[in-house]
Amino acid sequence: MRASISRRNRILLSITACALMISASLFGASPAHAVRNQAEIREFFMILSDGNVSHSITVIDYSKTLTQDACDASPMVQQWSQTRFTDDSYLNQCEITTDFKRATNPYVGVDQDGKVTFAAAPLELKDLALGLPEDISVIARRVDFTGGYLTITKATKGSELVESNPTSDSVRWINDIGSVVGAEGHIQGSSYSHPIERKDFNELTAVPVPTEMTDFPHSRTIAAPTQYTPSPAASSYTPSSTASSPSPFSLEWLINRVINPVIGVGLGGFFAWCMWCLLKKGLERNKTQAGTLASSDYQAQSSTPPTPTPTVQEPHNPFDSEWRNPSA
């Protein structure tokens, strides 16, 4: 009996182990180190609306080895660059954005006629020096290039033209990226654009523009931006016979010429009448108070009997002449 129970327990344990192995194989379980020791690199180049060039780098680290200090200390960070570090539950992310606000940068060139040339060497993890593990693998890479009112005519191998934006083209390379990516096109002129020169900048190298590119067919045309150009004809006003103007005795004429002036005069007259009434009441109140005070003083004076003036009898002077000369 005891032997049969132990045998039954062994069978149950074997079945449980088999079920766990089957579950692990079905759900694709793998060692944690192989899943987490991975990274992605994304680069975004853009011609800004003011004619400058922006380069944005994003590194996603699934090993969570990346730190804020390493992100800020990358050699790709220029003095005026902006960095952003994000620490999420399953990854760390570093973003480095550099705007080249001068007419020089190592990536994009624009001549006087609006012809655009773009070339860049996609970054490797070693170029960024972020302190990630040496055996970390890059599972995804992506490079994008775009700009306002930009038409891209051709690009290097592995590129894809995107026309989702009606006012600009963009080209992207995903995973199938060579050692150098490049594109050509033209940008519509505007009042704020200016020529841009491609050349080495600080420690950043301007790679040669590739010569082998594939032409892009376009499904739509990008219209030129609307720009204001003052002219003598536009500066002088000439009334048009077809211009809409309020006709006599229309509702607009009635409001502007009759109702508004009447309301304005009425409000002004009402305000003046109110001020006059207040002033008149104040004067009457002061006059009434002055009359009351005068009447009170008069009544007080008339009700008080006059005080009799005392008669003072002068003392007899013994030295008067009457005493000195009785006969007189």
Side-chain angles (χ1 to χ4, degrees):
M1 182 70 178
R2 189 175 299 173
S4 62
I5 294 176
S6 59
R7 181 181 178 185
R8 185 182 303 169
N9 291 337
R10 286 195 300 270
I11 294 173
L12 291 175
L13 289 174
S14 300
I15 295 174
T16 303
C18 292
L20 291 175
M21 292 178 63
I22 293 173
S23 299
S25 62
L26 288 175
F27 288 98
S30 58
H33 178 74
V35 173
R36 295 170 60 88
N37 200 29
Q38 296 172 340
E40 296 183 18
I41 304 176
R42 302 172 184 174
E43 294 184 74
F44 187 80
F45 299 87
M46 182 177 184
I47 303 177
L48 303 175
S49 59
D50 55 3
N52 298 319
V53 175
S54 175
H55 179 208
S56 178
I57 306 166
T58 302
V59 177
I60 302 174
D61 172 34
Y62 295 100
S63 69
K64 293 187 65 65
T65 307
L66 187 59
T67 62
Q68 174 76 66
D69 294 338
C71 181
D72 296 336
S74 172
M76 296 303 298
V77 177
Q78 302 294 317
Q79 185 178 2
W80 62 91
S81 299
Q82 295 181 352
T83 61
R84 179 184 178 186
F85 179 77
T86 305
D87 185 358
D88 291 334
S89 301
Y90 302 100
L91 58 89
N92 290 355
Q93 182 170 301
C94 172
E95 296 181 19
I96 303 172
T97 302
T98 305
D99 293 341
F100 296 90
K101 298 184 179 299
R102 304 176 184 178
T104 301
N105 73 91
Y107 309 113
V108 180
V110 182
D111 64 10
Q112 294 283 354
D113 299 327
K115 181 181 178 180
V116 178
T117 55
F118 163 71
L123 295 172
E124 304 284 349
L125 288 179
K126 62 181 180 180
D127 302 323
L128 296 166
L130 296 174
L132 298 179
E134 295 183 358
D135 59 343
I136 194 170
S137 60
V138 178
I139 60 174
R141 299 177 66 188
R142 175 169 176 168
V143 177
D144 290 77
F145 171 57
T146 188
Y149 298 99
L150 172 65
T151 300
I152 300 175
T153 56
K154 55 184 177 180
T156 55
K157 180 183 177 181
S159 60
E160 177 186 357
L161 178 66
V162 180
E163 298 179 291
S164 57
N165 190 334
T167 60
S168 65
D169 285 347
S170 62
V171 61
R172 63 189 179 190
W173 295 262
I174 300 177
N175 295 331
D176 185 13
I177 300 176
S179 58
V180 176
V181 295
E184 291 184 1
H186 61 271
I187 192 168
Q188 301 287 353
S190 61
S191 59
Y192 50 75
S193 63
H194 54 79
I196 304 174
E197 184 181 5
R198 280 190 73 251
K199 67 177 185 179
D200 296 347
F201 190 89
N202 291 349
E203 301 297 327
L204 305 176
T205 303
V207 298
V209 179
T211 56
E212 295 183 2
M213 297 188 185
T214 304
D215 293 336
F216 282 136
H218 287 77
S219 60
R220 53 100 170 94
T221 302
I222 298 175
T226 303
Q227 58 181 355
Y228 172 73
T229 304
S231 62
S235 59
S236 61
Y237 171 72
T238 304
S240 173
S241 59
T242 59
S244 61
S245 59
S247 60
F249 308 107
S250 64
L251 179 60
E252 183 180 357
W253 181 90
L254 181 64
I255 293 175
N256 293 332
R257 299 298 180 87
V258 179
I259 297 178
N260 287 343
V262 170
I263 293 176
V265 173
L267 291 176
F270 178 74
F271 178 77
W273 179 79
C274 291
M275 296 299 297
W276 182 80
C277 290
L278 292 175
L279 181 61
K280 183 178 179 181
K281 288 183 179 180
L283 292 175
E284 291 178 353
R285 186 183 299 108
N286 293 337
K287 186 176 180 180
T288 303
Q289 291 178 355
T292 303
L293 290 177
S295 176
S296 300
D297 293 342
Y298 175 78
Q299 292 178 1
Q301 292 178 3
S302 61
S303 61
T304 304
T307 303
T309 303
T311 304
V312 180
Q313 185 175 3
E314 295 182 358
H316 183 75
N317 188 355
F319 296 99
D320 190 90
S321 58
E322 183 180 356
W323 293 92
R324 288 194 309 266
N325 189 5
S327 61

